[in-house]
Amino acid sequence: MSRDPGEELAQIEAAKSGSVTAFTELVASYQARLFRFLLTRCASHADAEDALQDTFINAFRYLDSYDPRWRFSTWLYRIAIRNASKQQSRYVTELGELGDEESDPLRKCIEASERENLWLTARRLLNDDVYMAMWLRYVEDMSVNDVAAVLERSASWTKVNLMRGRQRLDAALSTAPDAKESEAYGQA
């Protein structure tokens, strides 16, 4: 989604001055993209919704600290990442043995679908930072510099890890027998 920077800056300034309408328009323009991103970072739909709500509450609360030299989306995604990490540490429940899952046709269908989904494969193979970098670059269409700013990394780190992530996915998807897994970039 491409926004007019001048219009967005005017909305931000109006929101800083107390305009609820301006802030509501900012929320509406980022809500769907941010929620989709948070779904990849949170354990459940409900956790993603909570993180999204907390993100916009924090954005409103700290709007005066926003520096217009940087893109608003970069600032907003940084808040979202922090809120998602808070959600991860909440309720972790261990499920015991659930029974005979091998003969469950629904499970087989889900597993077949997951094998075909690039982003599920990426989630499984890549560490969190590399996965986030790839998502922000290729799904959210952020520039390398914006991705680096959101992840609080250098542009060089971002470029290198985007390349390594692509290579890792390519090796996994092409099922090359000599593809080596690197623990530094995956969850092997």
Side-chain angles (χ1 to χ4, degrees):
M1 167 192 268
S2 180
R3 292 184 48 113
D4 176 28
E7 179 185 329
E8 183 175 77
L9 195 54
Q11 286 178 329
I12 293 166
E13 290 304 318
K16 282 183 176 182
S17 299
S19 171
V20 174
T21 304
F23 188 75
T24 302
E25 290 173 8
L26 287 168
V27 168
S29 63
Y30 284 100
Q31 187 169 8
R33 285 177 26 187
L34 209 49
F35 182 66
R36 187 175 60 232
F37 173 71
L38 287 168
L39 280 172
T40 69
R41 305 293 310 145
C42 296
S44 70
H45 194 273
D47 286 346
E49 287 175 339
D50 289 346
L52 181 68
Q53 182 177 9
D54 291 343
T55 297
F56 286 123
I57 289 170
N58 288 339
F60 186 76
R61 182 178 296 150
Y62 300 109
L63 195 56
D64 286 332
S65 71
Y66 168 69
D67 184 349
R69 291 181 301 167
W70 310 107
R71 290 181 53 181
F72 185 70
S73 61
T74 303
W75 182 72
L76 200 56
Y77 273 83
R78 190 69 232 148
I79 294 170
I81 288 171
R82 287 189 181 117
N83 285 319
S85 67
K86 291 177 191 173
Q87 295 293 329
Q88 287 177 350
S89 62
R90 285 191 184 169
Y91 323 100
V92 176
T93 305
E94 295 260 344
L95 298 177
E97 193 62 34
L98 295 178
D100 185 17
E101 296 174 358
E102 290 181 24
S103 63
D104 183 6
L106 179 58
R107 176 166 294 290
K108 287 181 181 179
C109 182
I110 291 170
E111 288 172 356
S113 174
E114 286 177 352
R115 282 191 297 271
E116 297 171 7
N117 189 316
L118 172 67
W119 289 107
L120 290 175
T121 302
R123 186 80 195 118
R124 184 175 41 81
L125 292 176
L126 306 173
N127 72 30
D128 286 345
D129 285 343
V130 175
Y131 178 81
M132 276 193 294
M134 291 191 72
W135 181 275
L136 292 171
R137 177 71 182 112
Y138 300 114
V139 175
E140 300 300 333
D141 199 29
M142 287 187 175
S143 71
V144 170
N145 289 335
D146 287 342
V147 172
V150 167
L151 297 178
E152 296 179 334
R153 300 289 189 143
S154 69
S156 297
W157 180 95
T158 304
K159 289 176 188 176
V160 167
N161 283 282
L162 285 170
M163 179 195 65
R164 288 178 178 166
R166 286 190 309 268
Q167 289 173 339
R168 180 91 194 266
L169 282 174
D170 183 48
L173 295 174
S174 66
T175 62
D178 60 343
K180 297 178 183 175
E181 291 190 24
S182 166
E183 288 190 32
Y185 298 100
Q187 298 174 340

